[in-house]
Amino acid sequence: MIYMRAHRNAPGWRVLVVDDCRLYREGLVRLIEDGLDASAVAAADSLSALLLQVTAIEPEVVIVNLASYESDEILVAIAERRPEAHVIVVGVDDTDQGQVIFCAEAGVCGYVTRDYSLADLMDVIRDVGAGGSHIPPRVSSLLLRRVQEVGPRRATPACLDNLTEREMQVLTGMSRGRSN
């Protein structure tokens, strides 16, 4: 299903809602139409509908329900086809590190957990649409933990692993301006 309602000459954002549940999708579209100054609000219920809508309206904000079928593929498609879009995911499990990391790697900049209200969601849409990000504390803890896990591995390039202790001393001295 594809749905789009354009508001000619409106200064607001172009918003795309992706959800395979018709009730949630239509409710969120109506909420956005009534609560935001959007120039266009479109909806898609599948990956194929998303691809059509991304081309048709070039959304600035995309809201994806993670409970939707193909949500992983949808996030990847958005990142590939519309990387400048500000993506918000709804229904994030703030205890699932794999899901949170996947979303971050797909370029998500707004996370809405299952305990958010509609008013909270509208605030997130406004913040993210304005170029900001929204990461709840528990989600940011998962992301920080992941960075801390990966960080030490990236601190030393792999090519340095095979150097002897003396070669490392010489290299360190050279990095400090000493001669060989």
Side-chain angles (χ1 to χ4, degrees), residues 4-15 36-41 57 60:
M4 183 173 133
R5 182 171 167 199
H7 306 277
R8 299 283 177 226
N9 302 319
W13 307 302
R14 293 177 307 275
V15 180
L36 290 178
D37 194 20
S39 61
V41 181
I57 74 162
E60 294 153 318

Side-chain angles (χ1 to χ4, degrees), residues 24-156:
Y24 294 158
R25 183 178 61 248
E26 289 178 359
L28 189 50
V29 165
R30 173 92 26 105
L31 179 72
I32 292 168
E33 288 177 336
D34 294 344
L36 290 178
D37 194 20
S39 61
V41 181
D45 64 353
S46 64
L47 178 60
S48 58
L50 165 92
L51 296 175
L52 292 172
Q53 290 291 34
V54 164
T55 302
I57 74 162
E58 299 180 336
E60 294 153 318
V61 178
V62 181
I63 303 163
V64 178
N65 184 344
L66 289 179
S68 294
Y69 181 69
E70 301 179 311
S71 63
D72 289 353
E73 293 87 352
I74 286 168
L75 290 174
V76 170
I78 296 166
E80 290 173 353
R81 304 274 176 113
R82 186 84 177 137
E84 63 275 17
H86 304 289
V87 180
I88 300 168
V89 288
V90 177
V92 175
D93 178 354
D94 60 6
T95 64
D96 185 343
Q97 185 177 22
Q99 181 185 65
V100 168
I101 299 303
F102 180 83
C103 289
E105 290 173 344
V108 169
C109 52
Y111 296 80
V112 176
T113 57
R114 296 175 182 164
D115 60 341
Y116 275 52
S117 69
L118 290 174
D120 294 335
L121 174 59
M122 294 302 284
D123 289 340
V124 172
I125 295 169
R126 285 183 193 96
D127 291 345
V128 170
S133 61
H134 181 83
I135 306 173
R138 289 184 62 165
V139 172
S140 64
S141 292
L142 291 176
L143 291 171
L144 183 58
R145 215 171 305 133
R146 176 65 175 176
V147 169
Q148 291 168 340
E149 290 169 2
V150 174
R153 286 186 267 157
R154 291 188 179 170
T156 305

Side-chain angles (χ1 to χ4, degrees), residues 150-168:
V150 174
R153 286 186 267 157
R154 291 188 179 170
T156 305
C159 61
L160 299 180
D161 291 341
N162 297 326
L163 296 179
T164 66
E165 184 178 340
R166 177 65 186 142
E167 289 169 328
M168 280 300 292

